[in-house]
Amino acid sequence: MSELLTIDDISVTYGNIKALRNVSMHVNQGDIVCLIGANGSGKSTLLKAIVGQEPLVNGSITFDGEEICQTRGANGKGKKHKILTTDIIASRGIALVPEGRRVFSQMTVEENLDMGAFMVRDKALINERKEAMYDFFPILGARRRQKTRSLSGGEQQMMAIARALMSGPRMILLDEPGLGLAPLVIADIFEKIDLINKQDNVTVFLVEQNARMALKASTEGYVMENGKIVLHDASASLLENEKVRAAYLGE
Ligand code: ATP
């Protein structure tokens, strides 16, 4: 299988805080890969680095053979070397579903979906994708003219995923899609993520604190602690791993 995303030895700092320390990982085309880790371990920072929202101190990120990272030299004092902007990275086929959903709550469902397609020029294609989203998430179709703030947390998460899919990505990055949702709603959302992967052939990189759900949903998993990758294995093996069971599965 070919590597779609390759993260090679990257570090990210916020002032004196080393949020990511020499992180290397990869995601193969067509896979669902998860990253688990405690609060503050650096998971969101990694996703922001991938989409060009946080510059790298060192290392590189490659998507489909093209280097997309930004580096700024040691301790932020080196020459800033911007490779691709967030918009361009999105146009290459990576869509982020951010933590906390970040929906535009004053806008309708339809307007939110339009925002997800802001890079798409073809109106007919936008409408076709919107209809596909309403078929896939019928509740969004039923509520297309409602303001997003009237939606439940689970519906807002579905909308955030649909908004990301409007750009027609090859890969989606999901930042804690289960956060704050009831177990049955989380199960629904993970079922949808699986369908997006299997039916639409969208590669998925999933970041979750809910380690059990994430490992069950994925084929490969990484474990992050204090900005470092400390374990990488098949998800089925991580589910059996004693350290993972004790630290992340509450066993
Ligand atoms: P959570 O599950 O709470 O989102 P996380 O694993 O995604 O946690 P990050 O949000 O990436 O972790 O945070 C990693 C570290 O960087 C933490 O110590 C956090 O306090 C710090 N951090 C994150 N964002 C910033 C920022 N904008 N400025 C300063 N420090 C930050």
Side-chain angles (χ1 to χ4, degrees), residues 5 7 10 12 14 19-20 23 25 27 33-36 41-56 61 68-70 86 89-90 94-100 102 157 171-177 203-209 224 229:
L5 179 75
I7 295 169
I10 72 164
V12 171
Y14 299 109
L20 296 181
V23 169
M25 58 189 301
V27 179
V33 173
C34 78
L35 172 69
I36 60 174
S41 56
K43 305 180 301 300
S44 298
T45 301
L46 178 64
L47 295 187
K48 287 181 192 160
I50 296 170
V51 297
Q53 288 174 6
E54 291 296 346
L56 310 182
I61 303 178
I68 58 169
C69 73
Q70 299 171 300
T86 299
I89 291 171
I94 302 182
L96 172 66
V97 183
E99 184 174 1
R102 307 270 165 80
Q157 185 62 58
M171 178 174 205
I172 51 171
L173 314 175
L174 292 147
D175 196 350
E176 309 232 15
T203 304
V204 176
F205 183 43
L206 172 68
V207 162
E208 260 293 341
Q209 272 190 61
M224 183 173 266
I229 299 293

Side-chain angles (χ1 to χ4, degrees), residues 101-120:
R101 338 211 210 280
R102 307 270 165 80
V103 295
F104 302 104
S105 58
Q106 300 297 325
M107 290 185 181
T108 64
V109 168
E110 182 135 353
E111 287 163 345
N112 266 274
L113 295 191
D114 284 334
M115 295 293 287
F118 76 102
M119 303 283 283
V120 184

Side-chain angles (χ1 to χ4, degrees), residues 1-250:
M1 239 188 297
S2 63
E3 274 186 29
L4 187 58
L5 179 75
T6 308
I7 295 169
D8 184 22
D9 193 34
I10 72 164
S11 300
V12 171
T13 56
Y14 299 109
N16 293 328
I17 299 170
K18 288 189 174 160
L20 296 181
R21 301 155 186 253
N22 304 98
V23 169
S24 293
M25 58 189 301
H26 66 272
V27 179
N28 285 334
Q29 166 85 43
D31 270 4
I32 301 183
V33 173
C34 78
L35 172 69
I36 60 174
N39 233 330
S41 56
K43 305 180 301 300
S44 298
T45 301
L46 178 64
L47 295 187
K48 287 181 192 160
I50 296 170
V51 297
Q53 288 174 6
E54 291 296 346
L56 310 182
V57 173
N58 57 267
S60 68
I61 303 178
T62 305
F63 182 69
D64 199 20
E66 178 185 19
E67 203 167 73
I68 58 169
C69 73
Q70 299 171 300
T71 52
R72 63 174 184 187
N75 306 319
K77 290 182 184 132
K79 189 176 157 210
K80 194 164 178 175
H81 182 46
K82 203 177 205 177
I83 294 186
L84 295 182
T85 61
T86 299
D87 285 5
I88 295 175
I89 291 171
S91 73
R92 293 293 193 273
I94 302 182
L96 172 66
V97 183
E99 184 174 1
R101 338 211 210 280
R102 307 270 165 80
V103 295
F104 302 104
S105 58
Q106 300 297 325
M107 290 185 181
T108 64
V109 168
E110 182 135 353
E111 287 163 345
N112 266 274
L113 295 191
D114 284 334
M115 295 293 287
F118 76 102
M119 303 283 283
V120 184
R121 296 272 167 269
D122 181 344
K123 286 246 165 1
L125 180 60
I126 294 175
N127 286 333
E128 193 183 299
R129 284 189 184 156
K130 266 195 291 205
E131 288 310 317
M133 289 306 132
Y134 296 147
D135 280 349
F136 189 64
F137 297 108
I139 192 73
L140 297 184
R143 310 217 159 158
R144 65 178 82 181
R145 306 211 196 292
Q146 285 185 26
K147 292 264 198 294
T148 308
R149 62 164 184 260
S150 67
L151 268 50
S152 69
E155 290 161 2
Q156 288 192 13
Q157 185 62 58
M158 288 184 190
M159 207 205 63
I161 295 171
R163 186 179 58 189
L165 292 174
M166 286 296 293
S167 61
R170 298 176 60 194
M171 178 174 205
I172 51 171
L173 314 175
L174 292 147
D175 196 350
E176 309 232 15
L179 192 69
L181 302 177
L184 277 178
V185 180
I186 297 178
D188 264 4
I189 285 170
F190 273 75
E191 203 178 298
K192 292 291 191 195
I193 293 169
D194 198 54
L195 284 172
I196 291 163
N197 172 253
K198 305 275 183 309
Q199 288 180 357
D200 302 336
N201 198 26
V202 176
T203 304
V204 176
F205 183 43
L206 172 68
V207 162
E208 260 293 341
Q209 272 190 61
N210 187 332
R212 191 181 308 277
M213 286 301 292
L215 291 170
K216 282 187 175 165
S218 56
T219 48
E220 256 182 74
Y222 289 83
V223 181
M224 183 173 266
E225 282 174 10
N226 295 321
K228 275 184 164 287
I229 299 293
V230 294
L231 273 173
H232 168 217
D233 208 339
S235 299
S237 306
L238 290 175
L239 275 166
E240 298 302 321
N241 180 298
E242 269 182 34
K243 187 173 179 290
V244 172
R245 290 167 74 118
Y248 300 102
L249 303 176

